[in-house]
């Protein structure tokens, strides 16, 4: 799989699930299908994957601008501090195992911190959160018939996810269950919800399937100018790998294979990608200088939480 395919596919999933609580206004509700550009950068630059696109897409334009205010020297200095943390045995090199462990650590840390932040934003009684309390805090205090049709769809979608996360079926969520609700892509019993929501977001004609046109429309929503090479590659991917039964569309099982493939370890794939891009002397490990020389690759990766770690004070 090419690097840009990995990064872009991950972007689709992560953007959808980083924050499960929707904004209070319908206009700001962020769907999986983007309603505005994630970045001013081109996804490709001279035919190659552009790390700046991923950086902007994950941080958001405002936060990316904050990072961009750092001088190159300061950003590399801060990256160097993080490299020292990744190098657990302090031998001056980052091995595959050390890098994979670090990526797993920052991903878990983000999920725990995000859950804690969301948890404290709600009214918790006896260490549980009720559906009514969540719904009222998220969508406002109103009778169901007062909500618009769009809000009703959002509420129904949240309630379906809620029921899947409610493992003991008592109608309320403890903190661990709430974590599954916020980050369904992380646990097996929530994966079908991820697939259902993905299909609903991309399936414009609401026939329960994702056609080639819908698939490409989700990846390349604006369709401005000549079709880039990576889009043509995705067309081939759809025909040869996504559409297993060759009926011209993806069903639930095929979408699941696409977005949550079995035996796919994202941390391992990200580690391999970073080493491949940065290991100048091809010795299978990374020196600090090799990482600093490829700082743009690391800023566009989960190893630095897509650059956010370089502007967050608690990291230093």
């Amino acid at each position: 799989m090419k690097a840009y395919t990995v990064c872009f596919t991950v972007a689709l999933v992560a953007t959808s699930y980083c924050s499960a609580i929707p904004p209070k206004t319908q206009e700001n509700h962020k769907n999986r299908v983007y309603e505005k550009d994630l970045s001013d950068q081109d996804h490709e630059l001279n035919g190659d994957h552009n790390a700046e696109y991923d950086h902007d897409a994950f941080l958001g334009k405002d936060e990316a601008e904050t990072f961009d205010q750092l001088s190159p020297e300061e950003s590399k200095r801060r990256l160097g501090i993080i490299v020292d943390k990744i190098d657990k045995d302090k031998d001056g090199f980052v091995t595959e195992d050390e890098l994979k462990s670090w990526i797993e650590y920052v991903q878990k840390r983000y999920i725990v911190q995000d859950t804690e932040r969301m948890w404290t934003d709600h009214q918790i009684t006896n260490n549980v959160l009720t559906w009514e309390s969540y719904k009222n805090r998220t969508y406002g205090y109103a009778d169901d018939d007062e909500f618009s049709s769009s809000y009703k769809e959002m509420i129904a979608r949240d309630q379906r996810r809620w029921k899947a996360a409610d493992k003991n079926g008592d109608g309320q969520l403890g903190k661990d269950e709430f974590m599954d609700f916020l980050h369904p892509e992380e646990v097996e019993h929530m994966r079908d919800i991820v697939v259902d929501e993905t299909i609903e977001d991309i399936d414009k004609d609401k026939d329960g399937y994702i056609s080639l046109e819908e698939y490409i429309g989700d990846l390349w929503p604006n369709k401005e100018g000549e079709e880039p090479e990576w889009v043509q590659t995705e067309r081939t991917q759809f025909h040869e790998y996504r559409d297993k039964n060759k009926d011209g569309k993806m069903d639930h099982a095929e979408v699941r294979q696409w977005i949550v493939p079995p035996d796919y370890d994202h941390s391992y794939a990200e580690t391999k990608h970073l080493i491949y891009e940065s290991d100048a002397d091809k010795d299978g490990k990374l020196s600090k200088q090799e990482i600093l020389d490829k700082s743009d690759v690391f800023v566009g990766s989960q190893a630095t939480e897509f650059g956010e770690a370089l502007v967050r004070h608690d990291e230093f």
Side-chain angles (χ1 to χ4, degrees):
M1 183 179 288
K2 291 187 178 180
Y4 65 75
T5 305
V6 172
C7 293
F8 198 61
T9 300
V10 172
L12 289 171
V13 176
T15 301
S16 178
Y17 299 112
C18 282
S19 177
I21 297 182
K24 300 300 181 292
T25 58
Q26 181 178 341
E27 291 76 14
N28 289 331
H29 181 61
K30 182 181 288 186
N31 291 320
R32 179 179 174 7
V33 181
Y34 309 126
E35 295 178 356
K36 58 182 180 180
D37 290 341
L38 291 173
S39 170
D40 293 326
Q41 303 289 334
D42 292 329
H43 189 248
E44 272 195 331
L45 192 62
N46 299 324
D48 295 321
H49 171 246
N50 183 7
E52 288 299 317
Y53 180 94
D54 294 328
H55 173 56
D56 283 9
F58 276 92
L59 287 184
K61 291 180 183 179
D62 293 339
E63 290 186 32
E65 288 170 0
T66 301
F67 168 83
D68 290 340
Q69 291 171 3
L70 296 175
S71 67
E73 294 77 16
E74 178 62 15
S75 64
K76 286 190 176 183
R77 184 189 73 83
R78 296 187 183 192
L79 177 57
I81 294 173
I82 294 174
V83 173
D84 291 338
K85 292 183 178 183
I86 301 173
D87 179 18
K88 285 187 177 181
D89 61 10
K90 307 303 178 187
D91 68 348
F93 294 94
V94 171
T95 65
E96 181 179 303
D97 287 343
E98 287 173 331
L99 185 53
K100 183 174 183 294
S101 293
W102 175 262
I103 291 173
E104 291 171 343
Y105 162 72
V106 296
Q107 171 65 4
K108 181 64 176 178
R109 181 179 63 180
Y110 164 73
I111 292 172
V112 170
Q113 291 176 343
D114 184 56
T115 301
E116 187 66 33
R117 176 175 59 86
M118 294 291 193
W119 186 253
T120 57
D121 193 46
H122 287 281
Q123 182 179 348
I124 308 301
T125 305
N126 297 325
N127 295 318
V128 295
L129 175 62
T130 67
W131 165 252
E132 285 301 317
S133 178
Y134 169 82
K135 182 168 76 75
N136 291 337
R137 174 67 180 84
T138 304
Y139 295 99
Y141 291 81
D143 295 331
D144 289 346
D145 57 2
E146 295 182 72
F147 288 112
S148 67
S149 59
S150 295
Y151 261 61
K152 288 179 181 178
E153 290 177 7
M154 291 159 59
I155 292 170
R157 179 161 159 156
D158 264 3
Q159 190 167 24
R160 180 183 60 191
R161 189 193 284 198
W162 183 281
K163 290 179 178 178
D166 181 16
K167 295 178 76 171
N168 62 8
D170 64 356
Q172 51 197 10
L173 302 184
K175 188 183 289 188
D176 288 345
E177 291 173 322
F178 190 57
M179 183 183 297
D180 294 344
F181 172 79
L182 293 177
H183 298 277
E185 75 284 358
E186 295 297 320
V187 286
E188 180 59 36
H189 73 274
M190 299 290 292
R191 296 285 170 80
D192 281 336
I193 291 295
V194 177
V195 175
D196 289 339
E197 292 181 2
T198 299
I199 292 174
E200 289 167 359
D201 288 340
I202 302 177
D203 175 24
K204 297 306 182 184
D205 62 12
K206 303 306 176 186
D207 66 349
Y209 301 90
I210 296 178
S211 66
L212 173 61
E213 181 180 353
E214 290 166 338
Y215 175 78
I216 296 299
D218 181 61
L219 296 176
W220 189 40
N222 294 326
K223 297 183 179 179
E224 295 179 355
E226 184 178 352
E227 183 172 286
E229 183 180 349
W230 69 265
V231 174
Q232 297 174 24
T233 300
E234 286 298 335
R235 290 185 183 277
T236 302
Q237 290 278 329
F238 183 93
H239 288 302
E240 295 186 2
Y241 302 107
R242 311 283 187 235
D243 178 18
K244 301 291 185 183
N245 61 8
K246 309 304 178 188
D247 64 353
K249 55 191 177 184
M250 284 194 287
D251 57 24
H252 188 280
E254 290 166 334
V255 173
R256 184 183 174 101
Q257 177 73 26
W258 167 40
I259 64 172
V260 283
D263 303 323
Y264 178 76
D265 185 337
H266 167 66
S267 298
Y268 176 77
E270 180 82 336
T271 298
K272 284 292 190 181
H273 164 62
L274 290 173
I275 292 178
Y276 175 81
E277 292 290 336
S278 309
D279 185 15
D281 60 11
K282 304 304 178 185
D283 63 353
K285 56 188 177 181
L286 302 179
S287 67
K288 178 185 283 191
Q289 191 58 52
E290 285 176 323
I291 292 174
L292 296 181
D293 287 344
K294 289 289 187 175
S295 59
D296 60 327
V297 173
F298 273 79
V299 168
S301 79
Q302 200 164 23
T304 63
E305 296 177 72
F306 308 98
E308 186 175 359
L310 274 67
V311 295
R312 199 177 56 233
H313 295 296
D314 62 350
E315 195 70 68
F316 304 100

